[in-house]
Amino acid sequence: MENDVTTLRRLKTIEGHLRGVIRMVEQDAYCIDVIRQIQAVESALNKVSTQILENHLNSCVTTALRGNNAGERERVLKEITEVFEMSTKV
Amino acid sequence: MENDVTTLRRLKTIEGHLRGVIRMVEQDAYCIDVIRQIQAVESALNKVSTQILENHLNSCVTTALRGNNAGERERVLKEITEVFEMSTKV
Amino acid sequence: MENDVTTLRRLKTIEGHLRGVIRMVEQDAYCIDVIRQIQAVESALNKVSTQILENHLNSCVTTALRGNNAGERERVLKEITEVFEMSTKV
Amino acid sequence: MENDVTTLRRLKTIEGHLRGVIRMVEQDAYCIDVIRQIQAVESALNKVSTQILENHLNSCVTTALRGNNAGERERVLKEITEVFEMSTKV
């Protein structure tokens, strides 16, 4: 719960940052400055993703792996592999 | 100008996407689904950055490189290198 | 074991690819072609990393999480978070 | 020329680093340590790419953009956009 509060707060901060980028474009800001701000938004999103993954590993993944449902264990591990693979592409 | 309209439209779509992610967290969506949506937002931001860079190369960079201000030429090229370097890190 | 054989084979293929890139530079190949080949090498390395992580999740991580050593469980999860965080930066 | 020497030296260092990773796998090193070393190789490759792009911008791209061949100007700018786009995916 505490963790979700942190995640939400961070995501709302990022939303504010993104609105700032939109205003920059509306006010014809210099292209390179816009790109840099977009990269900063992406960097902040990566931090949130990492935090969510950490919570997930310590809750759902731990519960599933310690449980007796082999299909469930396989599923949670496959998901970790998939988000890791995707993270190398975005 | 036309290009800015496209950029703005895309950024506003991404803002809507990000608000959707915030709602997912508020409604206790599954962690992996939230991470996947954040990755989708990042992928969309990368596309916008690429589009902005393309416009920039065809306008400011071309003008600067064809001009006679050596300092200005150096500056615009240095900026391209910097955003490229940063793009490999986010 | 089988998995290690696949990993090794892939890494040796990538080593051959990288030597090809070195030859390109030695023979004054076009810069953009060299960059594209380096990006292809990186993409192949990402695939190997993902495969290694998948094996790791299905072996060490599963064993640790199903075991009774809380410190060990914490350690393997922390490592997953760290390589995920790093993967968003390279 | 000087730049090519630096690029070559860096790439050969990375080749040595990659051979070290192969030895780690042959000697059954811990998975996470292997992944970290692969990420270090990728980070080094990104630095080389950035250096090659910088040289390219200051030579071929500058020459093309200051020249009178519109097709050539368009081609070099398109290539920059393409490697930038790709860099956000690997």
Side-chain angles (χ1 to χ4, degrees), chain B residues 46 49-50 53-54 57-58 61-62 64-68 73 77 80-81 83-85 87-88, chain D residues 46 49-50 53-54 57-58 61-62 64-68 73 77 80-81 83-85 87-88:
Chain B
N46 281 333
S49 285
T50 301
L53 183 72
E54 189 173 22
L57 288 166
N58 285 296
V61 175
T62 298
L65 286 193
R66 290 180 72 76
N68 291 316
R73 290 202 299 269
L77 295 181
I80 303 298
T81 305
V83 295
F84 178 80
E85 185 171 26
S87 77
T88 66
Chain D
N46 281 333
S49 285
T50 301
L53 183 73
E54 189 173 24
L57 288 167
N58 285 296
V61 175
T62 299
L65 286 192
R66 290 180 72 77
N68 291 316
R73 290 202 299 269
L77 294 181
I80 303 298
T81 305
V83 296
F84 178 79
E85 185 171 27
S87 77
T88 65

Side-chain angles (χ1 to χ4, degrees), chain A residues 6 17 24 27 32 37 43-44 53 61 69 75 81 88:
Chain A
T6 312
H17 197 162
M24 286 175 77
Q27 295 165 5
I32 294 292
Q37 289 310 311
S43 183
L53 183 73
V61 175
N69 186 334
R75 189 181 62 77
T81 306
T88 65

Side-chain angles (χ1 to χ4, degrees), chain D residues 36-52:
Chain D
R36 281 178 181 143
Q37 289 308 313
I38 290 176
Q39 291 176 331
V41 166
E42 294 182 280
S43 183
L45 286 170
N46 281 333
K47 285 202 183 70
V48 176
S49 285
T50 301
Q51 188 199 345
I52 296 174

Side-chain angles (χ1 to χ4, degrees), chain D residues 6-81:
Chain D
T6 312
T7 301
L8 261 182
R9 188 166 36 75
R10 285 194 188 192
L11 283 172
K12 284 175 180 174
T13 303
I14 295 171
E15 191 198 352
H17 197 162
L18 183 56
R19 270 200 303 270
V21 175
I22 291 173
R23 269 194 305 277
M24 286 175 76
V25 176
E26 286 172 340
Q27 295 165 4
D28 282 325
Y30 185 52
C31 298
I32 294 293
D33 292 336
V34 176
I35 293 174
R36 281 178 181 143
Q37 289 308 313
I38 290 176
Q39 291 176 331
V41 166
E42 294 182 280
S43 183
L45 286 170
N46 281 333
K47 285 202 183 70
V48 176
S49 285
T50 301
Q51 188 199 345
I52 296 174
L53 183 73
E54 189 173 24
N55 298 344
H56 181 61
L57 288 167
N58 285 296
S59 54
C60 307
V61 175
T62 299
T63 305
L65 286 192
R66 290 180 72 77
N68 291 316
N69 186 333
E72 184 70 0
R73 290 202 299 269
E74 202 179 308
R75 188 181 61 79
V76 299
L77 294 181
K78 197 163 175 293
E79 287 172 347
I80 303 298
T81 305

Side-chain angles (χ1 to χ4, degrees), chain B residues 8-58:
Chain B
L8 261 183
R9 187 166 36 76
R10 285 195 188 192
L11 283 172
K12 283 175 179 175
T13 303
I14 295 170
E15 191 198 354
H17 196 161
L18 183 57
R19 270 201 302 269
V21 175
I22 291 172
R23 269 194 305 277
M24 286 175 77
V25 175
E26 286 171 341
Q27 296 165 3
D28 282 324
Y30 185 53
C31 299
I32 294 292
D33 292 337
V34 176
I35 293 175
R36 282 178 180 142
Q37 289 309 313
I38 290 176
Q39 292 176 330
V41 166
E42 293 182 279
S43 183
L45 286 170
N46 281 333
K47 285 201 183 68
V48 176
S49 285
T50 301
Q51 187 198 345
I52 296 173
L53 183 72
E54 189 173 22
N55 298 344
H56 180 60
L57 288 166
N58 285 296

